[in-house]
Amino acid sequence: MQQRWAVSKWALVAVGAVVAAKLATAEGITTPFRTTDEHTVGATIAADHDQKEKLPVGACVWVRTRESGGTGLIVDAKKRWALTARHIVGDHRQVEVVFPVRIGSQWQSERQWYLHQRSLLQESRHWTTARVLRVSDGHDLALLELAALPADVPPVRWSKRPPVLGETVNLIGQRGDLPTLWNRSQGVLRAFASRGEGYYAAGRKVAAETPLLLAQLPIEEGDSGGPVFDQHGQCVGLAVAVRRSAAPAALLITAADAQAFLMSSVPAGGEPENPGVTPIVQTLLRATVWIHPPSADRPLAGVLIDPRHVLTVTIPAIRLGDAVGMAVPLRSAAGYRQERQWYLDPLHLYQHGCWRFARVVAIDPERQLCLIRLASPWPGMQPLALAATPPAVGQTIHAMNHPTGVELAFVYAQGIIRQQGAMPGFGDQKPLRILLAQLPAVAACPGGPVINDRGELTGLWLEREGPAQAAYVLSIEEIRTFLNVCAVDGQPPHSVEAAIARLSQYGQRLRRAIAYGLVCRAVVRLRQHNAAAATADLQQALRWYPASSAAQRLRLPLLAPHDRLAALNAAIEYGPFDPELLRCRARWAIKQNDWRLARSDLQRLLIVHPEDGAARQQLVEVLLELGDTDKAAQAVRDVLRAEPSRRCNLATDLLRQAERLVTRYPLQPQIARDWLLTAMGKSGHPPWEQAARQAASLTQPQQQLDYLLAYLRKEGNKP
């Protein structure tokens, strides 16, 4: 029975070969099954077919290990070298490599076909082994040396230019949850990081030392190591990881890094060349902003609609009158900085002219819109024009935001309009006119602009989203109505709602003017030492305009001591943002040893005003008292970054803090010593860092502490 089955199996193979040969001859191409000495399965095709095909599929391979599989690329046919992802090979020193087979004019794609034809494929060198020559954890790359190659493997062409954000790219991969191989995916390049944070794969951290591209490609396990080609068939990178929070989001090792890895054991260092951008991405970068509400733990995206106003969505952490910090893309000599870490440092952004203080001036909970007014405009930014009509179904759209879970900001996305519709409101609220779009996940960062091919604003990316790239976009019609109600569009009221809002704004301006007059009179009466009359004027001012910060500040010293804290808390928590009130409560909290309240107020203040050196200096003591030594040392560094002129004053503070620690722990001088070594060693001020190193060279803790104390006394006495 077994012998008969073996004969039947080979008979079927022979019959299949004959049939395929006749079909191939009829089409004018060579037989796909050869019986010559070359033993090549999936033979050559007509010469002009490879010329027509831009993507070198024949150079893309399926890399197999006992535990997993991935994709690779033949990078040197003469040396029999292939490149794949390091996390695919793991600890193996040898792997299997499978080449695509062409039958007729088509590539054979069925996974099971390759598994069933393994013996024949081994004879034809389409299924071979490969030795792992070298690997790089820092760049997630592995170089393989194959035992053999089939004939006619096409050469790979590396892209010689930097990638361009917004350009279309194609991936070839062996996604594990599909029954086919050499699958193609198409998308666009979304962002670039000159140094990634790395990721964990197979129990090890990889790609922490390499530039990374983010692409809008739907990759899964099995696609790792897959080559990504531009529209000219040139390789721009290798897919190595996925970011599911902002899917589809694939991380790519750049072509430049891959080539550098091939030339040496470690890719070349230095500042990588930033990618270019398409005109539509440039339009978005010049109009999109990063918004950091002090009371929120995540940023929002927003869009400039004129030089002084930003439009975004409303969230519970944003209230009318609140202040927010805001940033625009940071530029370097090579281009835009998209690494997220740059936008988590408001002080650095402020010093480079990219950070602004802004105030929330209007909120519409029904439309989920928020209007923010900048303290001053940004040079070089270009507000977006509003589209006259919503985009049609099927029309291409472009968007930008700062998705959570991705180590990047100002991330580009492309999609289409799936449908126009309405989203039911809450209770008796009117339905919202929306657009259903095919876009990547918003990833907890709503508010980003959605524009058409002409660069006109067509909607705002909402936080709500459905499955399978179903994004909700607030229609331009709702945006136009909101801006008309807020009277910032330069148009007369277009609706009863807008007319009522304008009348309300006039009334509010009148109340604010009356309150301002009463505050001015209160100031005069205080100079005349008439506290009772001044108090009455301030109370009247607050009745006319409860959000008057000037009235709140003047009234506080006139209140009874036991009433001041309650009034201060009410003014901060329910009134508009006032930095002076926050400073006042922080000073009170420090006196009362309420370190957590002081930390909260100071950090809230520094998000909006990162240049405030005095607040940063107070934060050093607060963090030290809370036992967070590392953050306190970072605060020391930030004081010197914000205001280098505070160095002597800061030295006096450090001296006082160390002496307090000595008093608190008289038998443990190493506690005060460790604090000074950390604070001075990480200060970023070379003389202080040198003093810390000199002290550390001494043998006894007390000697080290005495040296540092003497140095700080000398520093504190400098003019």
Side-chain angles (χ1 to χ4, degrees):
M1 183 73 175
Q2 293 179 352
Q3 185 178 5
R4 273 189 298 167
W5 165 242
V7 172
S8 301
K9 179 177 69 173
W10 288 109
L12 288 172
V13 171
V15 170
V18 172
V19 172
K22 290 190 174 294
L23 289 173
T25 305
E27 295 180 9
I29 58 177
T30 22
T31 172
F33 291 90
R34 291 186 180 179
T35 55
T36 62
D37 292 339
E38 291 182 10
H39 299 292
T40 302
V41 180
T44 59
I45 63 169
D48 62 342
H49 192 91
D50 277 331
Q51 294 175 358
K52 293 178 182 177
E53 181 158 327
K54 292 182 180 179
L55 301 185
V57 179
C60 304
V61 296
W62 180 19
V63 181
R64 288 169 48 88
T65 67
R66 288 192 302 270
E67 298 85 8
S68 64
T71 309
L73 178 68
I74 301 300
V75 293
D76 192 324
K78 292 182 179 179
K79 295 181 179 178
R80 305 191 306 280
W81 280 3
L83 198 61
T84 188
R86 189 265 182 272
H87 68 268
I88 293 298
V89 302
D91 295 326
H92 294 283
R93 302 311 303 167
Q94 183 170 298
V95 297
E96 292 182 318
V97 175
V98 183
F99 285 84
V101 171
R102 181 170 256 152
I103 298 180
S105 61
Q106 301 293 326
W107 292 105
Q108 176 58 258
S109 62
E110 295 178 13
R111 188 185 300 263
Q112 289 300 318
W113 186 90
Y114 285 90
L115 296 175
H116 292 158
Q117 301 290 343
R118 177 171 180 169
S119 298
L120 288 177
L121 294 172
Q122 287 174 333
E123 292 179 9
S124 67
R125 301 194 294 258
H126 282 75
W127 192 304
T128 185
T129 59
R131 181 168 63 97
V132 179
L133 285 183
R134 66 172 184 259
V135 298
S136 170
D137 286 344
H139 299 79
D140 198 11
L141 291 172
L143 182 62
L144 311 178
E145 183 184 50
L146 280 64
L149 268 77
D152 303 326
V153 174
V156 63
R157 291 183 299 146
W158 295 102
S159 176
K160 299 187 182 305
R161 60 173 177 81
V164 178
L165 300 186
E167 74 172 325
T168 301
V169 292
N170 298 274
L171 164 74
I172 295 179
Q174 330 293 352
R175 182 167 166 168
D177 59 353
L178 296 178
T180 54
L181 298 171
W182 289 278
N183 304 295
R184 302 188 192 185
S185 301
Q186 189 173 92
V188 293
L189 296 181
R190 302 182 64 186
F192 172 76
S194 60
R195 283 292 179 271
E197 297 177 359
Y199 45 86
Y200 284 91
R204 59 167 57 88
K205 189 171 185 178
V206 292
E209 304 169 10
T210 182
L212 291 172
L213 281 164
L214 185 73
Q216 190 172 319
L217 290 168
I219 72 168
E220 287 293 340
E221 292 184 13
D223 288 326
S224 291
V228 178
F229 302 97
D230 62 18
Q231 293 295 79
H232 305 290
Q234 297 179 335
C235 185
V236 298
L238 271 70
V240 289
V242 61
R243 286 291 182 260
R244 300 190 187 281
S245 63
L251 292 178
L252 316 180
I253 301 294
T254 65
D257 239 35
Q259 292 178 85
F261 173 76
L262 292 175
M263 291 186 288
S264 62
S265 58
V266 178
E271 187 70 16
E273 189 172 7
N274 276 34
V277 296
T278 61
I280 203 72
V281 176
Q282 177 77 7
T283 298
L284 284 166
L285 285 168
R286 295 179 65 186
T288 307
V289 299
W290 166 291
I291 303 172
H292 192 162
S295 301
D297 58 355
R298 58 188 171 99
L300 298 175
V303 56
L304 277 170
I305 56 169
D306 65 45
R308 294 296 295 270
H309 289 97
V310 168
L311 188 66
T312 186
V313 298
T314 183
I315 61 173
I318 293 182
R319 299 175 307 156
L320 188 64
D322 271 356
V324 298
M326 205 174 288
V328 295
L330 181 65
R331 301 205 62 165
S332 66
Y336 291 99
R337 294 282 192 187
Q338 291 182 285
E339 297 89 345
R340 197 179 189 89
Q341 63 186 17
W342 293 107
Y343 301 95
L344 301 178
D345 185 358
L347 179 56
H348 180 82
L349 294 167
Y350 175 84
Q351 292 174 334
H352 286 77
C354 295
W355 192 263
R356 289 289 188 277
F357 161 79
R359 191 179 294 277
V360 178
V361 295
I363 287 180
D364 187 338
E366 293 185 11
R367 294 188 176 90
Q368 304 176 33
L369 287 173
C370 175
L371 187 67
I372 304 174
R373 182 175 175 81
L374 291 164
S376 59
W378 272 294
M381 296 295 285
Q382 183 64 49
L384 292 180
L386 305 185
T389 58
V393 174
Q395 184 174 331
T396 301
I397 53 173
H398 313 267
M400 185 167 282
N401 74 334
H402 324 293
T404 304
V406 177
E407 56 267 52
L408 294 158
F410 296 94
V411 176
Y412 168 72
Q414 186 186 97
I416 63 167
I417 296 297
R418 291 182 162 189
Q419 193 52 270
Q420 299 179 5
M423 186 169 63
F426 297 100
D428 57 354
Q429 296 177 2
K430 296 179 181 179
L432 285 180
R433 288 165 290 187
I434 61 163
L435 304 169
L436 286 174
Q438 177 184 312
L439 284 172
V442 71
C445 184
V450 178
I451 65 175
N452 57 25
D453 286 335
R454 296 185 298 275
E456 299 168 334
L457 183 67
T458 61
L460 214 61
W461 209 342
L462 297 175
E463 187 159 23
R464 179 179 176 181
E465 59 185 339
Q469 300 183 58
Y472 286 76
V473 177
L474 190 66
S475 173
I476 188 62
E477 300 159 317
E478 297 287 356
I479 292 174
R480 282 187 175 277
T481 302
F482 173 71
L483 296 178
N484 186 248
V485 168
C486 296
V488 294
D489 60 350
Q491 299 289 326
H494 295 163
S495 63
V496 174
E497 179 187 7
I500 294 174
R502 302 284 178 96
L503 290 174
S504 176
Q505 290 170 10
Y506 294 145
Q508 187 176 31
R509 289 173 191 166
L510 177 61
R511 291 192 298 273
R512 187 185 304 165
I514 294 172
Y516 178 74
L518 289 168
V519 169
C520 291
R521 192 168 72 177
V523 171
V524 173
R525 288 180 169 175
L526 283 174
R527 289 173 182 169
Q528 297 171 349
H529 305 289
N530 191 349
T535 301
D537 282 344
L538 293 173
Q539 289 173 345
Q540 277 288 103
L542 291 171
R543 277 194 285 269
W544 278 103
Y545 186 59
S548 174
S549 298
Q552 294 280 12
R553 288 196 302 269
L554 286 172
R555 179 171 169 263
L556 281 175
L558 303 176
L559 294 174
H562 59 275
D563 293 330
R564 289 176 189 169
L565 181 60
L568 183 59
N569 290 337
I572 291 174
E573 302 304 327
Y574 302 106
F577 178 85
D578 188 316
E580 197 53 47
L581 292 177
L582 282 173
R583 292 187 187 98
C584 180
R585 191 168 71 173
R587 288 192 295 268
W588 176 88
I590 290 173
K591 289 179 182 178
Q592 299 297 319
N593 294 335
D594 191 345
W595 306 112
R596 286 182 173 79
L597 177 60
R599 177 181 61 184
S600 174
D601 284 347
L602 291 171
Q603 289 178 340
R604 183 177 171 187
L605 174 65
L606 289 170
I607 287 174
V608 180
H609 292 290
E611 76 282 6
D612 191 334
R616 292 191 178 278
Q617 191 167 331
Q618 286 180 309
L619 188 60
V620 174
E621 180 181 1
V622 170
L623 292 172
L624 182 61
E625 290 292 340
L626 287 170
D628 202 337
T629 306
D630 289 337
K631 288 186 178 179
Q634 179 60 47
V636 169
R637 184 184 184 92
D638 289 343
V639 172
L640 297 176
R641 287 171 58 207
E643 292 187 45
S645 61
R646 303 189 71 89
R647 189 180 74 250
C648 297
N649 198 342
L650 180 60
T652 302
D653 272 7
L654 292 177
L655 179 62
R656 178 172 49 82
Q657 292 158 10
E659 290 173 343
R660 186 186 304 165
L661 289 172
V662 169
T663 303
R664 192 178 298 172
Y665 307 102
L667 301 180
Q668 296 175 293
Q670 65 270 22
I671 294 178
R673 175 211 59 185
D674 290 346
W675 160 237
L676 292 181
L677 285 175
T678 303
M680 297 173 66
K682 296 181 178 180
S683 66
H685 183 52
W688 284 19
E689 292 174 345
Q690 177 61 31
R693 288 191 293 269
Q694 185 66 31
S697 67
L698 301 175
T699 55
Q700 297 299 320
Q702 189 62 54
Q703 291 178 326
Q704 296 170 340
L705 177 60
D706 291 342
Y707 179 88
L708 293 171
L709 292 176
Y711 182 86
L712 288 174
R713 288 190 187 98
K714 188 184 300 183
E715 279 286 289
N717 290 329
K718 288 182 178 179

